[in-house]
Amino acid sequence: MIKENLHAQSDPLILMYLFSTLSLMLHRLRPELRPDVLSQGQSIKFARFLDLLFIHFNKIRDGNWYASQINTTYKTLNQICKLATNLTAKQLIDSYTIIEIKRCLVVSSITSQQVAYDFGFEDASNFVKYFKKQVGLTPSQFQKKYLKPVL
């Protein structure tokens, strides 16, 4: 992905497909295939959490909501996530959300305001603060840095 991004004729669509491929591979290699890390029950809960995250990341970033959907507590969900990935549930939610936001910003010339709406932010300024806290750049700065002009 880095080589493609640095290539003189880099194509955001190729980057999107590379990311999607890696994401699918990661999904296939989930910890439920590694019984030494998580118990079977933990693996099932983690897999259900990931399934829900992949569906609802663009509207729901509340770890308590995900925990309630898989009939567990937020504390238990955090423990499972930490065992599986060394990240908390909230860190996983934010990381996946930011990756998808970045993909949207790079693949299209969509405005920050539209991305904010698409990802369930009530206010564009809250979206900009969230993105800048996670990435260190505003969405428009990130987009300018990585979006290649179409010739």
Side-chain angles (χ1 to χ4, degrees):
M1 287 175 61
I2 292 170
K3 284 184 180 182
E4 174 60 27
N5 193 38
L6 295 175
H7 191 275
Q9 296 174 340
S10 177
D11 184 344
L13 194 57
I14 292 173
L15 286 170
M16 180 188 74
Y17 286 125
L18 287 170
F19 172 76
S20 295
T21 301
L22 290 173
S23 180
L24 289 170
M25 289 173 64
L26 177 64
H27 189 68
R28 186 185 326 154
L29 299 173
R30 291 185 298 202
E32 70 262 22
L33 301 177
R34 296 171 35 209
D36 58 319
V37 176
L38 299 176
S39 71
Q40 183 178 10
Q42 289 171 324
S43 294
I44 290 168
K45 286 181 181 184
F46 186 65
R48 287 175 57 206
F49 167 64
L50 289 179
D51 288 341
L52 287 168
L53 178 60
F54 296 156
I55 295 167
H56 299 287
F57 70 91
N58 61 333
K59 298 293 179 200
I60 302 170
R61 286 175 298 283
D62 178 16
N64 286 306
W65 182 87
Y66 289 98
S68 71
Q69 295 301 303
I70 60 173
N71 298 317
T72 193
T73 65
Y74 182 65
K75 182 179 177 181
T76 299
L77 178 60
N78 263 339
Q79 290 170 339
I80 292 169
C81 290
K82 288 285 268 184
L83 281 172
T85 66
N86 289 326
L87 297 172
T88 65
K90 181 63 174 153
Q91 288 171 325
L92 280 170
I93 293 164
D94 287 340
S95 295
Y96 189 75
T97 302
I98 287 296
I99 286 171
E100 288 298 316
I101 290 170
K102 286 178 175 180
R103 186 178 61 78
C104 283
L105 290 169
V106 171
V107 170
S108 66
S109 58
I110 194 168
T111 65
S112 293
Q113 197 161 10
Q114 183 61 47
V115 174
Y117 174 77
D118 291 347
F119 281 80
F121 288 87
E122 293 179 16
D123 183 359
S125 64
N126 289 339
F127 165 68
V128 171
K129 288 177 195 173
Y130 174 81
F131 189 87
K132 188 167 184 174
K133 180 181 176 188
Q134 300 292 325
V135 179
L137 300 169
T138 66
S140 58
Q141 290 170 332
F142 178 85
Q143 199 171 37
K144 285 176 188 167
K145 183 175 180 179
Y146 293 102
L147 190 64
K148 305 284 185 199
V150 178
L151 301 175

